[in-house]
Amino acid sequence: MDKKVIIELSHITKQFDDEIVVNDLNLKIYENEFITLLGPSGCGKTTTLRMIGGFEKPNAGEIIINGKIFNELPPYARPINTVFQRYALFPHLNVYENVAFGLKNRNDTYLSNFYQIDPTLDKKVFKDVLKKKIDESVVEALKLVKLTGFEQRKITQISGGQAQRVALARAIVNRPQILLLDEPLAALDLKLRQNMQYELKEMQKKLGITFIFVTHDQEEAMTMSDRIVVMKDGLVQQMGTPKHIYNEPVNRYVANFIGESNIIPGVYLKKDLVEFMGVKFDCTGYTFANNEVVDVVIRPEDFDVVKLDEAKLIGKVTNSIFKGVHNELTLDANGVELFVNTYENYEIGEPIGLKVDPYEIHLMKVNKDE
Ligand code: ATP
């Protein structure tokens, strides 16, 4: 079944003074998708999010939501809520009141509209019905973020992680179609952040809301996203599933940004044969011109350590860092620095034999601008 496009960004450009911060961005976001805009500080990801949310207007291009152009509509007219890095909770309200705030305002507006249409309306009965509805929604939202029992707590009496959960509950309480999350976990410590990553993903699946997430943390993006959009200087470098981007980076920038990589200059000799570090290797799945210069990408976990007489490459250990489950080795292989992950322990200075399977060898076109 075809996935339904919920948001389309078509040729979006945004300029502040002389600086183009988003440059001709084209992106389709699908219903129920968890999509992450990933890139270093200043690459334009927050500005993109703010344009989707209606907090900034693009200089050119169209923002299409559910098939309609939304460029001119203010944030409150969009089927979208936002969770910011600084959760911006109301300090004078308790947890329950913070989550109920938006719904209560909306219901007060409903009530006065209905009353204008029908002044005979029994305001008390109507108000009670709405109040009950709010209560059900708030209880459900707090349950989803695991804060049942915290309703009466003051905002000053909860932890940073709990405050971020309140902000999330407030954003999902009216079940928006789309939730924008701008580095919402950045202020949390590592352990809490990892828990929240898992919970956010679970929540997104349960609610069926489209999540558009912004982060500069590649691990966070890999853990949660259905698709990642890697940005640099206002330009999209690559978009795809975490696996695809990890395994098939299109250039050095993406390869370096998405995890540790060995990037080695090589030559694509002919179909399924590449040479690097003076050795020929079988490869698979790439088409370049014969004898074209390429960049070879091998992830540190994809090298196999083998006996020296079976090795295609040999390197000497120059550094070894214990990472809990595996060791991260740095090797000197004839002047080329290689990173290799192993479960075994090796001594500094020890020679190590390496092999690599054809399907673990990834080839990229050489970009002269990088
Ligand atoms: P960060 O992770 O640091 O927020 P980002 O990738 O989200 O970075 P943006 O916040 O989108 O990047 O900023 C992109 C560029 O636009 C930056 O150079 C920033 O200084 C500039 N910029 C953002 N907002 C404004 C503004 N209101 N006025 C002028 N320049 C701005």
Side-chain angles (χ1 to χ4, degrees):
M1 204 177 73
D2 276 354
K3 289 182 285 179
K4 186 179 159 219
V5 175
I6 193 165
I7 297 182
E8 182 172 356
L9 305 180
S10 173
H11 298 288
I12 293 290
T13 294
K14 178 69 187 176
Q15 189 162 351
F16 290 115
D17 305 320
D18 289 342
E19 191 191 2
I20 295 176
V21 298
V22 177
N23 195 349
D24 195 25
L25 174 68
N26 291 294
L27 176 62
K28 282 183 181 159
I29 299 171
Y30 298 98
E31 202 169 45
N32 300 347
E33 184 173 33
F34 196 127
I35 190 162
T36 298
L37 308 181
L38 173 70
S41 182
C43 72
K45 50 197 192 304
T46 296
T47 304
T48 304
L49 203 71
R50 288 175 61 78
M51 288 192 281
I52 297 172
F55 304 105
E56 297 282 357
K57 276 190 195 171
N59 294 94
E62 284 172 346
I63 295 172
I64 302 160
I65 303 176
N66 294 322
K68 294 195 190 79
I69 296 176
F70 264 69
N71 286 36
E72 297 303 321
L73 290 183
Y76 60 81
R78 303 183 183 210
I80 294 178
N81 278 344
T82 308
V83 181
F84 298 100
Q85 179 177 345
R86 298 182 205 294
Y87 354 102
L89 299 174
F90 302 113
H92 60 290
L93 301 180
N94 65 24
V95 167
Y96 182 99
E97 290 161 341
N98 261 283
V99 178
F101 187 80
L103 288 183
K104 194 169 168 312
N105 275 358
R106 203 173 63 171
N107 283 356
D108 287 348
T109 315
Y110 279 155
L111 195 60
S112 75
N113 287 351
F114 279 124
Y115 197 62
Q116 276 171 21
I117 296 165
D118 179 6
T120 65
L121 182 83
D122 186 335
K123 246 184 169 173
K124 163 113 185 43
V125 172
F126 205 70
K127 226 175 175 163
D128 285 348
V129 172
L130 289 179
K131 204 169 160 208
K132 192 159 169 278
K133 275 243 156 290
I134 291 183
D135 194 55
E136 281 168 11
S137 304
V138 174
V139 166
E140 172 67 15
L142 285 174
K143 193 171 155 205
L144 265 164
V145 299
K146 303 199 170 110
L147 279 182
T148 303
F150 284 75
E151 291 80 358
Q152 303 310 319
R153 283 276 188 99
K154 286 187 187 155
I155 292 304
T156 48
Q157 292 172 337
I158 58 176
S159 71
Q162 289 161 345
Q164 191 51 284
R165 284 164 201 265
V166 177
L168 262 170
R170 189 176 59 179
I172 57 173
V173 70
N174 65 343
R175 300 292 167 107
Q177 254 191 313
I178 301 155
L179 193 62
L180 309 180
L181 300 113
D182 190 0
E183 307 234 12
L185 311 182
L188 309 180
D189 67 48
L190 181 65
K191 190 93 191 105
L192 199 54
R193 214 163 72 209
Q194 286 168 341
N195 285 341
M196 284 291 285
Q197 287 169 3
Y198 174 75
E199 286 176 18
L200 266 179
K201 179 76 198 157
E202 287 297 299
M203 199 186 300
Q204 187 259 344
K205 275 198 256 166
K206 211 184 268 178
L207 291 171
I209 294 176
T210 301
F211 275 32
I212 310 177
F213 195 92
V214 157
T215 184
H216 60 269
D217 180 335
Q218 58 92 13
E219 236 178 88
E220 188 159 287
M222 300 275 285
T223 313
M224 289 189 290
S225 319
D226 296 318
R227 257 190 326 150
I228 297 175
V229 179
V230 185
M231 295 178 72
K232 180 193 175 199
D233 300 337
L235 285 169
V236 171
Q237 300 292 307
Q238 189 171 3
M239 49 177 111
T241 61
K243 223 177 194 164
H244 179 72
I245 289 187
Y246 188 81
N247 285 332
E248 304 292 341
V250 290
N251 56 32
R252 277 178 174 254
Y253 174 81
V254 175
N256 279 323
F257 205 79
I258 305 278
E260 262 318 319
S261 258
N262 295 287
I263 304 176
I264 310 157
V267 177
Y268 180 89
L269 296 174
K270 58 178 190 180
K271 189 166 165 36
D272 296 343
L273 193 67
V274 63
E275 181 175 337
F276 55 92
M277 298 174 69
V279 182
K280 293 188 178 90
F281 288 83
D282 293 331
C283 61
T284 177
Y286 294 92
T287 309
F288 292 90
N290 285 356
N291 299 315
E292 182 171 341
V293 171
V294 291
D295 279 329
V296 179
V297 181
I298 301 171
R299 298 286 177 187
E301 64 274 22
D302 290 339
F303 275 115
D304 296 322
V305 178
V306 294
K307 288 188 193 133
L308 293 178
D309 57 1
E310 292 168 10
K312 294 205 84 169
L313 296 171
I314 292 178
K316 261 196 183 144
V317 179
T318 56
N319 197 18
S320 174
I321 303 172
F322 179 58
K323 284 286 185 176
V325 179
H326 67 275
N327 294 296
E328 284 182 7
L329 306 182
T330 310
L331 307 183
D332 176 359
N334 277 338
V336 178
E337 188 174 63
L338 293 179
F339 302 103
V340 176
N341 293 352
T342 71
Y343 295 111
E344 311 298 327
N345 296 319
Y346 296 97
E347 300 295 323
I348 307 286
E350 195 174 340
I352 287 193
L354 298 175
K355 254 168 97 164
V356 55
D357 289 326
Y359 56 86
E360 307 288 18
I361 295 177
H362 307 290
L363 305 183
M364 302 186 303
K365 216 171 172 52
V366 173
N367 187 346
K368 298 207 170 47
D369 299 337
E370 288 179 67

